[in-house]
Amino acid sequence: MTSSLTLTPVTENKVDTCHEIMYPQGEFWSDEPPLETYQHLQQIIILLKSLQWLWQDKSDYFCAGNLTIYYSPNQKKSEYFRGPDFFVVLDTTNDETRKSWVVWEEGGKYPNVIVEILSDSTAKFDRDGKKGIYQDIFRTPDYFWFDPFTLEFQGFTLISGKYQAITPNEQGWLYSEQLELYLGLHEGKLRYFTPNGELVATPEESAIQERQKAQVAENLAIQEKQKADKLAQKLRELGINPDEII
């Protein structure tokens, strides 16, 4: 790990120290550019919401979107930082008040899973430059990228220190051993699927499903009552009091 941190970082990640903003001691604010399109924002929100809903009873993970990760071996906020579009860290605290992810303040933890949302301006670097950083420095076990316009989707898992492409299943989904979930396309969006093949819903989708189930149950109850009323009416026509039937 130490040797990998001596790699020369990409120059675009360095901040001109003479213009460096001085934050309160111990504060490391995220310093990411705005997302390029609404599709990028929407995709990140779906990944965040659905995982948080699925893991609502868990408190030993942290996930975020478009949040800066500071990883300088010199423990300086002015060098060596990178902001994945979406990442998940396991075996940590689910503290949503974090303003960034500072590796040396998090026990040296790097993300277990990273997803980059490709765009015209970032695609080449996401496929090459970032992939190298996540492989050689972060040592992130699972790395995925997805283009919300072309629907290009690829995933890699770290084997013997090198990223190897993840083999898709019959549905074209890619399995993340870190999440114990599949990632795949559904209605033009990158979504999670359980090992049983079920779509991991967002809170809004879950609410719709519950309303639909309640409506089905209500309709069945109405149908049963209508059947009972018709039977009672038929019995009365035959001179039988249905209330006296046990």
Side-chain angles (χ1 to χ4, degrees), residues 53-120:
W53 184 249
L54 178 68
W55 287 356
Q56 57 187 289
D57 296 327
K58 291 169 59 72
S59 59
D60 59 349
Y61 78 99
F62 177 73
C63 64
N66 204 40
L67 192 76
T68 299
I69 296 174
Y70 292 96
Y71 61 101
S72 166
N74 301 311
Q75 299 190 2
K76 293 181 179 180
K77 64 177 176 292
S78 59
E79 63 179 12
Y80 290 39
F81 57 91
R82 174 63 57 198
D85 290 323
F86 175 77
F87 67 89
V88 182
V89 184
L90 303 177
D91 300 318
T92 188
T93 57
N94 192 11
D95 181 3
E96 295 184 357
T97 66
R98 288 182 175 96
K99 300 175 179 67
S100 62
W101 183 268
V102 185
V103 170
W104 58 90
E105 292 183 356
E106 301 286 354
K109 284 184 174 294
Y110 286 84
N112 293 74
V113 178
I114 289 177
V115 179
E116 291 289 1
I117 313 301
L118 302 183
S119 63
D120 290 342

Side-chain angles (χ1 to χ4, degrees), residues 4 36 42 66 97 99 146 151 177:
S4 64
E36 296 203 9
Q42 189 179 46
N66 204 40
T97 66
K99 300 175 179 67
F146 172 66
L151 306 186
E177 292 190 4

Side-chain angles (χ1 to χ4, degrees), residues 10-30:
V10 180
T11 55
E12 70 172 26
N13 290 328
K14 291 189 175 180
V15 176
D16 187 347
T17 54
C18 67
H19 294 96
E20 181 182 357
I21 299 174
M22 300 304 294
Y23 296 109
Q25 186 175 1
E27 296 284 349
F28 290 80
W29 295 76
S30 185

Side-chain angles (χ1 to χ4, degrees), residues 40 82-85 116-119 121-132 134 143-146 156:
H40 285 73
R82 174 63 57 198
D85 290 323
E116 291 289 1
I117 313 301
L118 302 183
S119 63
S121 63
T122 66
K124 187 178 186 304
F125 190 57
D126 288 339
R127 295 189 188 101
D128 300 322
K130 282 188 178 180
K131 184 182 176 186
Y134 299 155
Y143 174 45
F144 301 89
W145 68 58
F146 172 66
F156 305 86

Side-chain angles (χ1 to χ4, degrees), residues 118-243:
L118 302 183
S119 63
D120 290 342
S121 63
T122 66
K124 187 178 186 304
F125 190 57
D126 288 339
R127 295 189 188 101
D128 300 322
K130 282 188 178 180
K131 184 182 176 186
I133 292 172
Y134 299 155
Q135 171 186 275
D136 300 328
I137 299 178
F138 283 27
R139 313 297 290 166
T140 293
D142 291 342
Y143 174 45
F144 301 89
W145 68 58
F146 172 66
D147 189 317
F149 294 99
T150 68
L151 306 186
E152 176 187 342
F153 175 47
Q154 293 233 13
F156 305 86
T157 191
L158 202 63
I159 299 176
S160 300
K162 299 295 181 183
Y163 275 139
Q164 303 295 328
I166 299 173
T167 302
N169 66 2
E170 293 180 356
Q171 291 81 14
W173 305 341
L174 306 180
Y175 189 68
S176 168
E177 292 190 4
Q178 298 294 303
L179 300 178
E180 297 183 339
L181 296 169
Y182 285 99
L183 282 85
L185 302 187
H186 175 73
E187 296 181 348
K189 296 291 187 292
L190 185 62
R191 303 294 300 267
Y192 306 108
F193 298 87
T194 68
N196 294 328
E198 297 178 358
L199 176 69
V200 175
T202 64
E204 293 81 6
E205 289 169 339
S206 293
I208 292 173
Q209 291 171 3
E210 289 302 315
R211 287 197 297 269
Q212 290 174 338
K213 289 179 182 178
Q215 187 62 57
V216 169
E218 182 180 350
N219 291 340
L220 288 174
I222 291 173
Q223 291 173 11
E224 290 300 319
K225 186 177 184 306
Q226 290 173 343
K227 289 179 181 179
D229 290 344
K230 288 181 179 179
L231 177 59
Q233 180 61 34
K234 185 65 174 179
L235 290 172
R236 291 189 182 96
E237 292 174 356
L238 296 173
I240 302 172
N241 185 354
D243 296 330

